[in-house]
Amino acid sequence: MTTKDHAMTSTTRPQTDDAPQHVLTVDDLSEDDIEVVLDVARVLERAVDEGEPHAVLPESTMAMLFEKPSTRTRVSFETGMTHLGGHAVFLGPNDTHLDRGEPVSDTARVLSSYNDFVVARVFDHGALETMAEHASVPVINALSDAAHPCQALADLLSLRQAFGDLDDLSVTWVGDGNNVATSFAVAAATMGVDVTMATPEGYEPAADALDRAAERGPAPTVVHDPASAVEGADAVYTDVWISMGEEDEREEKLAAFEGFQLNADLLDHAPDAAAMHCLPAHRGEEITGEVLESDRSLAWQQAENRLHVQKALLAHLADATGSLLDG
Ligand code: CP
Ligand code: NVA
């Protein structure tokens, strides 16, 4: 019996033709997938607020393989799986044999034979691709060096809650063209949001990601002057300048990002814009405490929405959204 056969006869839920097999990047999600996730997330948010049970994945299990620290992603996935009636098994960097040389491919095969989902946070995006190749259950990217698709879903939900329709919006990214920026650019373009990205020279998002965004919607514009880039924006979004794994680049990046802080002076050029941050924030570096704590900050909503969109994504991948949308 192959691992796949084994998994199919044990715990794996059938996949529909509609849902993607894995979610490694936003590109794995069609516009329809994103619409379903956002709609279901809204239903799930209401269910939480009203204390309505919504255990649509009873006895499902999810392995969570994390090579890096996490507050929001870990807690929202674990909590979300409990709300859905299932169970999450958290595996930190020292909890498996990966560090002792067991291949990612073997790990993915074995986890697939126990679990309905594998959620992984990795340094190297290639490790996720290897997992997906060898897993017989959906693999979900919980952040890699290249992408953070779950964050992008929460960002879209936050924008929809704040502004209603997405397709007339314009959002400016200010800072590093990193994993969060890249996923946001592709997700936003897919939903018709105009994106301008103001980064220091040499810190633009990967060109192939920008090409993929342009294939799906309005092409993101990349510029290097934050003040003019935020003019007319509905929201201005930033993330840390030194991502996990980049600690050695700290001095070099702090110098390169001078003038790219999301602060009150910058927002003077966009007086009506909301401020976005995926968190964790470094107050005084990429954003000021004043902006983060202000009424225009969506950061706390973005963080809460991680719970709702990830639950919706799990339900969508398991083809279990019917009762939620009908109800
Ligand atoms: N935004 C985000 O992914 O936060 P964590 O690193 O705390 O999971
Ligand atoms: N770009 C940041 C995001 C943290 C949620 C990092 O990768 O560390």
Side-chain angles (χ1 to χ4, degrees), residues 130-163:
T130 305
M131 277 182 215
E133 210 177 301
H134 293 86
S136 53
V137 300
V139 175
I140 302 173
N141 182 357
L143 180 146
S144 67
D145 55 345
H148 198 3
C150 296
Q151 181 67 52
L153 292 169
D155 300 338
L156 291 177
L157 182 60
S158 308
L159 286 167
R160 184 174 273 184
Q161 288 166 337
F163 296 100

Coordinates of all heavy atoms in Angstrom, one line a residue, residues 130-163:
T130 N 8.5 20.4 -1.6 CA 8.9 19.0 -1.3 C 7.8 18.3 -0.5 O 7.3 17.2 -0.8 CB 10.2 18.8 -0.6 OG1 11.2 19.5 -1.4 CG2 10.6 17.4 -0.5
M131 N 7.3 19.0 0.5 CA 6.2 18.4 1.3 C 5.0 18.1 0.5 O 4.4 17.1 0.5 CB 5.8 19.4 2.4 CG 6.7 19.3 3.6 SD 6.0 20.5 4.9 CE 7.6 21.0 5.6
A132 N 4.6 19.1 -0.3 CA 3.4 19.0 -1.2 C 3.6 17.8 -2.1 O 2.6 17.1 -2.4 CB 3.2 20.3 -1.9
E133 N 4.8 17.7 -2.7 CA 5.0 16.6 -3.6 C 4.8 15.2 -3.0 O 4.4 14.3 -3.6 CB 6.5 16.7 -4.0 CG 6.8 16.2 -5.4 CD 8.3 16.5 -5.7 OE1 8.7 17.7 -5.6 OE2 9.0 15.5 -5.9
H134 N 5.1 15.1 -1.7 CA 5.1 13.8 -1.0 C 3.9 13.6 -0.1 O 3.7 12.5 0.5 CB 6.4 13.6 -0.2 CG 7.6 13.4 -1.2 ND1 8.3 14.5 -1.6 CD2 8.1 12.3 -1.7 CE1 9.2 14.0 -2.5 NE2 9.1 12.7 -2.5
A135 N 3.1 14.7 0.2 CA 2.0 14.6 1.1 C 0.8 14.2 0.3 O 0.6 14.6 -0.9 CB 1.7 15.9 1.7
S136 N -0.1 13.4 0.9 CA -1.3 13.0 0.2 C -2.5 13.8 0.8 O -3.7 13.5 0.5 CB -1.5 11.5 0.4 OG -1.5 11.1 1.7
V137 N -2.2 14.7 1.7 CA -3.3 15.6 2.2 C -2.8 17.1 1.9 O -1.7 17.3 1.6 CB -3.4 15.4 3.7 CG1 -3.9 14.0 4.0 CG2 -2.2 15.8 4.5
P138 N -3.7 18.0 2.0 CA -3.4 19.4 1.7 C -2.2 19.9 2.6 O -2.3 19.7 3.8 CB -4.7 20.2 2.0 CG -5.8 19.2 1.8 CD -5.2 17.9 2.3
V139 N -1.3 20.6 2.0 CA -0.2 21.3 2.7 C -0.5 22.8 2.6 O -0.8 23.3 1.5 CB 1.2 21.0 2.1 CG1 2.3 21.8 2.7 CG2 1.5 19.5 2.1
I140 N -0.5 23.5 3.7 CA -0.8 24.9 3.8 C 0.5 25.6 4.2 O 1.0 25.3 5.3 CB -2.0 25.2 4.7 CG1 -3.2 24.4 4.2 CG2 -2.3 26.7 4.8 CD1 -4.4 24.5 5.2
N141 N 0.8 26.7 3.5 CA 2.0 27.5 3.9 C 1.6 28.4 5.0 O 0.7 29.3 4.9 CB 2.4 28.3 2.7 CG 3.6 29.2 2.9 OD1 4.1 29.2 4.1 ND2 4.1 29.8 1.9
A142 N 2.3 28.3 6.1 CA 2.1 29.1 7.3 C 3.1 30.2 7.4 O 3.2 30.9 8.4 CB 2.1 28.3 8.6
L143 N 3.8 30.4 6.3 CA 4.9 31.5 6.1 C 6.2 30.8 5.7 O 6.6 29.8 6.3 CB 5.2 32.3 7.3 CG 6.3 33.4 7.2 CD1 5.9 34.7 8.0 CD2 7.6 32.9 7.5
S144 N 6.7 31.3 4.6 CA 8.0 30.8 4.1 C 8.8 32.1 3.8 O 8.3 33.2 3.9 CB 7.9 29.9 2.9 OG 7.4 30.7 1.8
D145 N 10.0 31.9 3.3 CA 10.8 33.1 2.9 C 10.2 33.8 1.7 O 10.4 35.0 1.5 CB 12.3 32.7 2.6 CG 12.4 31.6 1.5 OD1 11.3 30.9 1.3 OD2 13.4 31.4 1.0
A146 N 9.4 33.1 1.0 CA 8.8 33.6 -0.3 C 7.4 34.1 -0.2 O 7.0 35.0 -1.0 CB 8.9 32.6 -1.4
A147 N 6.6 33.5 0.7 CA 5.1 33.8 0.7 C 4.5 33.6 2.0 O 4.9 32.9 2.9 CB 4.5 32.8 -0.3
H148 N 3.3 34.3 2.2 CA 2.5 34.2 3.4 C 1.1 34.3 3.0 O 0.4 35.3 3.3 CB 2.9 35.3 4.4 CG 2.5 35.0 5.8 ND1 1.9 33.9 6.2 CD2 2.7 35.8 6.9 CE1 1.7 34.0 7.5 NE2 2.1 35.1 8.0
P149 N 0.5 33.3 2.3 CA -0.8 33.4 1.7 C -1.9 33.6 2.8 O -2.9 34.3 2.5 CB -1.0 32.1 0.9 CG 0.1 31.2 1.5 CD 1.2 32.0 1.9
C150 N -1.8 32.9 3.9 CA -2.9 33.1 4.9 C -3.0 34.5 5.4 O -4.1 35.0 5.7 CB -2.6 32.1 6.1 SG -2.6 30.4 5.6
Q151 N -1.8 35.2 5.5 CA -1.8 36.6 5.9 C -2.6 37.4 4.9 O -3.4 38.3 5.2 CB -0.4 37.1 6.1 CG -0.3 38.6 6.5 CD -0.9 38.8 7.9 OE1 -0.4 38.1 8.8 NE2 -1.8 39.7 8.1
A152 N -2.3 37.1 3.6 CA -2.9 37.9 2.5 C -4.5 37.7 2.6 O -5.2 38.7 2.3 CB -2.4 37.4 1.2
L153 N -4.9 36.5 2.9 CA -6.4 36.3 3.0 C -7.0 37.2 4.1 O -8.0 37.8 4.0 CB -6.7 34.9 3.2 CG -6.4 33.9 2.1 CD1 -6.5 32.5 2.5 CD2 -7.4 34.2 0.9
A154 N -6.3 37.2 5.3 CA -6.7 38.1 6.4 C -6.7 39.6 6.0 O -7.6 40.3 6.4 CB -5.9 37.8 7.6
D155 N -5.7 39.9 5.2 CA -5.6 41.3 4.8 C -6.8 41.7 3.9 O -7.4 42.8 4.0 CB -4.3 41.6 4.0 CG -3.1 41.3 4.9 OD1 -3.2 41.3 6.1 OD2 -2.0 41.0 4.3
L156 N -7.1 40.8 3.0 CA -8.3 41.1 2.1 C -9.6 41.2 2.9 O -10.4 42.1 2.6 CB -8.4 40.0 1.0 CG -7.3 40.0 0.0 CD1 -7.6 38.8 -1.0 CD2 -7.2 41.3 -0.8
L157 N -9.7 40.3 3.8 CA -11.0 40.4 4.7 C -11.0 41.7 5.4 O -12.1 42.4 5.5 CB -11.0 39.2 5.6 CG -12.3 39.1 6.5 CD1 -13.5 39.0 5.7 CD2 -12.2 37.9 7.5
S158 N -9.9 42.1 6.0 CA -9.8 43.4 6.7 C -10.2 44.6 5.8 O -10.9 45.5 6.2 CB -8.4 43.6 7.3 OG -8.0 42.4 8.0
L159 N -9.7 44.6 4.6 CA -10.0 45.7 3.7 C -11.4 45.6 3.3 O -12.1 46.7 3.2 CB -9.1 45.5 2.4 CG -7.6 45.9 2.6 CD1 -6.8 45.5 1.4 CD2 -7.5 47.4 2.8
R160 N -12.0 44.4 3.1 CA -13.4 44.3 2.8 C -14.3 44.9 3.9 O -15.2 45.6 3.7 CB -13.8 42.9 2.4 CG -15.2 42.8 2.0 CD -15.5 41.4 1.5 NE -15.2 41.2 0.1 CZ -15.4 40.1 -0.6 NH1 -16.0 39.1 0.0 NH2 -15.1 40.0 -1.9
Q161 N -13.9 44.5 5.1 CA -14.6 45.0 6.3 C -14.6 46.5 6.5 O -15.5 47.1 6.8 CB -14.1 44.3 7.6 CG -14.4 42.9 7.7 CD -13.6 42.2 8.8 OE1 -12.5 42.6 9.2 NE2 -14.1 41.1 9.3
A162 N -13.4 47.0 6.1 CA -13.2 48.5 6.3 C -13.8 49.3 5.2 O -14.3 50.4 5.4 CB -11.7 48.8 6.5
F163 N -13.8 48.8 4.0 CA -14.2 49.6 2.8 C -15.3 49.0 2.0 O -15.8 49.7 1.1 CB -13.0 49.8 1.9 CG -11.8 50.5 2.5 CD1 -10.7 49.8 3.0 CD2 -11.8 51.9 2.6 CE1 -9.7 50.5 3.6 CE2 -10.8 52.6 3.2 CZ -9.7 51.9 3.7

